[in-house]
Amino acid sequence: MFRRLVVRMILLAAFVGGLCLELQRLSAAQLHTSAVSDSFSTADERDVGDNEQVPPTQAKLDEIIDRMIKREHDEIAALDPYTPIIETYIQEVRINQMTGAVPKSDYYFLGQADFRGRLKVHSMTDSSRKGSLMWSFDPAGFLQMIYIDRGEFDRAHYKLKYSKREFLGEVRCIRFEVSPMPNARGPRFVGDIWVEDQDYTIVRFKGTYAPVIHFSLKTFEDEYYLHFDSWRTNVKSVLWLPSYVYSQELHRPTLFGNPSYKSSTHLWGYKLKAGSREEELSRMLVESASPIKDEATQHDRSPLEAQREWRHEAENILLELLERNGLLAPQGEVDKVLNTIVNNLEVTNNVDEQIWCRVLLTGNLEMFSVGNTIVLSRGLIDVVPNEETLAALVAHGMADALLPKPYQDQYAFSDILRLSPTGAETAFFRGRENGNRREQPEGDGTSEKVTLCVQSGERRTLPETTAFASKGTEAIDHSAAWK
């Protein structure tokens, strides 16, 4: 009897012990689950806190707005001494119900901006305004899009409302909604602005001017204000300069049939310097006790050598003019690639003339030669699909460079181009076009171009390359900026 009682007590103790262990395991698991749940909820709360943007206090907003307005006035004043190159490409479109916006025609402006007084664009083309009898595009109107309000951007004329914080690329910005005050008269900006959060400089603004139609007492014409998106680039500390403007109007109804269009405007060349070498003022001169003599063979120049030197001098004057006025890019890596193609064509075709390439900074399709220098526009290089096609275009340029161009010889007299920058370039390109019309040689150099391509080893894609080059040269001839 006693033995049975002991056995039962042992079994009961084992059962109670096992039950306690199971309860402890379940309790520990529940505690771990609670801890994990708490950690996840804490992380979620932290993520929500990070994503939620706490707006600045009203006092901080007032400080930001005041500093931003002051910086904008400083930026406007800093632009006055500059005369950048401004290039605007406009594509007029018609709206098709099936395909959307279909290109109809295009316009091209190239000039030099003038910020002194009333905004002006000194055109480098023959026409400064283009359009129809009822309307016209004005280059100064696209230049105006680099300003929010040139004269009266302040609290008295505008109301600014905080929107949110966001990044433009790697620049942290504060976004504001801008609208004119009810009592503000005249055309005023309506849209959004982005302000970088270090010095509170406006780096982007997007919107339009209201009212849309405004009668100008200066020109006695109706001015139509368009929607645009204007960007600025940081060129140095606390200085952001306008660099790009996109504009479009596709569905705005008008009484006089104003066009639907898209446009892009680029500005560059703010720091235009003369093409002189800085090291000329700090070169090292070695003095010698005995006089230094030139050991090169002295001989009289032949008439042919004198003529080539004269043409080379005219070529240098023209290229220096284009580079000094911001149209020609300084020599760089792209020039090296183009010159390599030229060298290959020269070696394989036994061309004795030394030919170089330079890059024009405009975005249109343009290629011409100045003496022995082939000038290709940035826009033309961007649309070339492969190296073979580029070689074909360069070969076409070489054929043109090898042809005599007597009309360019006159520019060896530097006083002929001693004009304003826009006047000099307009005179040069008008003279180039007139010279091309006066002295058209037999053929257009296409046979020479094809021969150069074949002998340089570009046979494998010659049909496609020739087709592209032929269409490209037709487009170049008909869309040249200076005609």
Side-chain angles (χ1 to χ4, degrees):
M1 189 69 179
F2 179 75
R3 183 179 300 175
R4 289 181 180 178
L5 182 60
V6 171
V7 170
R8 289 178 179 176
M9 291 181 63
I10 292 173
L11 292 175
L12 181 62
F15 175 76
V16 172
L19 182 62
C20 290
L21 289 175
E22 183 65 20
L23 290 175
Q24 289 178 358
R25 187 181 66 81
L26 292 175
S27 178
Q30 184 177 3
L31 289 175
H32 178 70
T33 304
S34 299
V36 172
S37 177
D38 291 342
S39 65
F40 275 113
S41 62
T42 303
D44 293 340
E45 291 175 359
R46 184 170 59 251
D47 292 339
V48 171
D50 291 341
N51 292 330
E52 291 180 352
Q53 297 184 2
V54 180
T57 62
Q58 187 60 43
K60 183 63 176 178
L61 278 177
D62 291 339
E63 178 187 355
I64 293 174
I65 292 173
D66 290 338
R67 291 182 60 182
M68 179 260 296
I69 292 175
K70 183 179 182 303
R71 284 289 306 128
E72 181 63 14
H73 290 171
D74 294 341
E75 288 283 319
I76 294 174
L79 278 177
D80 288 343
Y82 293 107
T83 56
I85 302 296
I86 176 171
E87 177 190 44
T88 301
Y89 174 74
I90 306 167
Q91 186 179 78
E92 186 181 356
V93 299
R94 57 182 176 85
I95 306 302
N96 186 289
Q97 298 297 332
M98 299 296 294
T99 59
V102 179
K104 180 181 178 182
S105 61
D106 57 0
Y107 307 96
Y108 182 80
F109 296 113
L110 182 68
Q112 193 168 32
D114 187 350
F115 302 115
R116 297 170 299 180
R118 186 183 178 190
L119 289 180
K120 297 178 289 294
V121 176
H122 302 293
S123 178
M124 295 179 182
T125 59
D126 291 336
S127 177
S128 60
R129 302 183 69 169
K130 298 180 180 179
S132 67
L133 294 176
M134 300 299 298
W135 53 265
S136 63
F137 291 110
D138 187 1
F142 292 95
L143 180 61
Q144 185 181 2
M145 295 177 182
I146 67 173
Y147 295 102
I148 298 177
D149 191 320
R150 196 181 179 198
E152 296 177 330
F153 181 64
D154 50 36
R155 287 178 176 269
H157 296 86
Y158 288 95
K159 178 174 63 176
L160 291 92
K161 179 183 177 182
Y162 171 83
S163 177
K164 60 180 179 180
R165 298 177 184 269
E166 64 181 23
F167 279 85
L168 289 183
E170 297 181 354
V171 181
R172 294 182 304 179
C173 295
I174 305 173
R175 184 172 177 175
F176 288 92
E177 297 177 2
V178 181
S179 57
M181 298 294 286
N183 58 350
R185 296 183 178 181
R188 301 294 176 181
F189 177 78
V190 181
D192 294 345
I193 62 174
W194 284 259
V195 183
E196 52 90 13
D197 64 354
Q198 298 297 316
D199 300 302
Y200 301 109
T201 304
I202 298 175
V203 299
R204 180 191 179 190
F205 49 97
K206 179 174 62 175
T208 186
Y209 299 104
V212 173
I213 303 177
H214 175 259
F215 181 76
S216 174
L217 295 176
K218 296 180 180 179
T219 60
F220 293 97
E221 295 177 338
D222 284 333
E223 295 179 345
Y224 292 83
Y225 295 105
L226 311 168
H227 288 89
F228 62 92
D229 186 4
S230 185
W231 293 73
R232 295 173 177 175
T233 301
N234 185 212
V235 295
K236 64 179 182 179
S237 178
V238 301
L239 182 60
W240 294 72
L241 295 178
S243 58
Y244 177 72
V245 181
Y246 175 78
S247 176
Q248 76 171 30
E249 289 290 348
L250 298 180
H251 302 291
R252 182 169 61 86
T254 58
L255 297 176
F256 302 102
N258 286 335
S260 297
Y261 80 98
K262 299 178 181 180
S263 73
S264 62
T265 299
H266 295 269
L267 294 97
W268 73 88
Y270 285 92
K271 284 289 187 182
L272 303 182
K273 298 181 179 180
S276 60
R277 298 180 299 170
E278 295 181 357
E279 65 269 18
E280 288 182 352
L281 301 178
S282 59
R283 288 183 296 173
M284 181 180 296
L285 299 179
V286 179
E287 297 182 356
S288 174
S290 59
I292 300 176
K293 297 182 180 180
D294 187 2
E295 301 296 336
T297 304
Q298 300 293 331
H299 65 278
D300 295 332
R301 292 180 299 172
S302 66
L304 180 59
E305 290 177 337
Q307 183 182 20
R308 287 179 176 175
E309 184 177 348
W310 182 261
R311 291 181 176 177
H312 185 61
E313 188 173 353
E315 174 185 352
N316 290 337
I317 290 176
L318 289 171
L319 295 177
E320 289 176 3
L321 170 72
L322 294 176
E323 184 173 353
R324 182 170 65 249
N325 293 326
L327 289 176
L328 199 66
Q331 296 185 12
E333 296 299 325
V334 178
D335 300 303
K336 294 180 181 179
V337 174
L338 295 173
N339 289 332
T340 301
I341 297 175
V342 170
N343 291 335
N344 293 337
L345 293 172
E346 288 177 339
V347 171
T348 55
N349 293 276
N350 298 319
V351 177
D352 296 331
E353 293 284 343
Q354 182 66 41
I355 298 176
W356 300 270
C357 289
R358 297 293 298 273
V359 177
L360 200 69
L361 291 173
T362 57
N364 63 322
L365 304 183
E366 177 77 357
M367 181 175 67
F368 57 91
S369 61
V370 178
N372 286 355
T373 301
I374 306 169
V375 181
L376 300 91
S377 68
R378 172 180 54 84
L380 178 61
I381 297 175
D382 289 342
V383 300
V384 174
N386 49 49
E387 185 178 352
E388 291 80 8
T389 305
L390 182 59
L393 290 175
V394 171
H396 188 282
M398 290 179 63
D400 181 68
L402 293 174
L403 295 175
K405 292 176 280 294
Y407 68 92
Q408 291 185 2
D409 296 349
Q410 61 181 333
Y411 298 118
F413 296 103
S414 59
D415 61 289
I416 294 179
L417 296 179
R418 196 172 294 169
L419 306 171
S420 64
T422 54
E425 274 122 21
T426 302
F428 162 59
F429 288 111
R430 187 183 294 115
R432 176 175 69 87
E433 184 62 26
N434 293 337
N436 288 341
R437 285 196 292 266
R438 286 196 306 269
E439 305 190 21
Q440 283 290 344
E442 295 182 0
D444 58 351
T446 305
S447 59
E448 291 87 344
K449 174 195 66 178
V450 175
T451 303
L452 291 173
C453 289
V454 171
Q455 293 184 4
S456 62
E458 304 296 345
R459 297 182 180 87
R460 59 187 182 277
T461 58
L462 187 59
E464 297 83 355
T465 300
T466 305
F468 180 91
S470 300
K471 294 181 180 179
T473 51
E474 291 177 4
I476 293 169
D477 292 337
H478 288 87
S479 65
W482 299 282
K483 283 198 175 182

